[in-house]
Amino acid sequence: MKLDHIGLATRQLDEGLALWRDALGLEVDATEEISEQGVRVAMLAIGDTHVELLEPLSPESPVGKFLSKRGPGIHHVAVAVEDIHASLADLKRRGARLIDETPRLGARGCLVAFIHPSATNGVLLELVQHQ
Ligand code: CO
């Protein structure tokens, strides 16, 4: 298991890119819009993991609500797993509250699922299975 990426909520991608790309010199791997999740995403490689900048497509989207409640900052931590269905079943058996009972399509064509912060000591956790 490894840390796949850290998701950072930004009001606009450019605000995040000003730091991570322009000031720190990281390269943008990909920018894409994931309409089902209401976000525009920029992925920047840092070592063998990534920073994922998240810009909400609307104030009602999950990241939009996060920003209005908490402001910009760390939104979630994502770990890469081999078998996301098995990991979800395991977490559920242990009583974790799942946001996604079944995986959905995320950035970079990965399967992703979110675990509720109430099950993870306050940190929104994303599982990622690369295809
Ligand atoms: Co993510």
Side-chain angles (χ1 to χ4, degrees):
M1 188 180 270
K2 67 165 200 153
L3 180 66
D4 190 77
H5 63 267
I6 298 176
L8 305 178
T10 58
R11 296 194 201 285
Q12 297 195 321
L13 289 186
D14 280 347
E15 292 177 5
L17 290 171
L19 171 69
W20 296 95
R21 181 191 60 194
D22 303 340
L24 292 172
L26 300 183
E27 285 190 20
V28 177
D29 269 14
T31 304
E32 63 184 296
E33 195 168 298
I34 307 165
S35 46
E36 313 89 81
Q37 293 177 34
V39 285
R40 196 174 356 260
V41 169
M43 281 282 184
L44 300 96
I46 177 164
D48 58 3
T49 188
H50 286 80
V51 167
E52 179 185 61
L53 301 175
L54 304 158
E55 174 192 312
L57 296 178
S58 79
E60 294 77 38
S61 65
V63 173
K65 286 180 186 158
F66 177 92
L67 283 168
S68 66
K69 236 190 286 176
R70 318 248 306 248
I74 295 179
H75 179 260
H76 65 269
V77 170
V79 295
V81 296
E82 291 280 313
D83 182 343
I84 195 167
H85 292 92
S87 295
L88 280 173
D90 209 30
L91 284 162
K92 192 174 182 178
R93 198 164 47 241
R94 290 161 189 271
R97 181 169 157 205
L98 309 181
I99 293 174
D100 300 302
E101 293 273 337
T102 53
R104 50 194 164 123
L105 209 54
R108 299 167 296 167
C110 296
L111 287 176
V112 304
F114 285 91
I115 316 303
H116 198 276
S118 67
T120 57
N121 294 305
V123 178
L124 179 60
L125 177 66
E126 179 184 9
L127 304 181
V128 178
Q129 181 185 327
H130 289 265
Q131 312 264 37

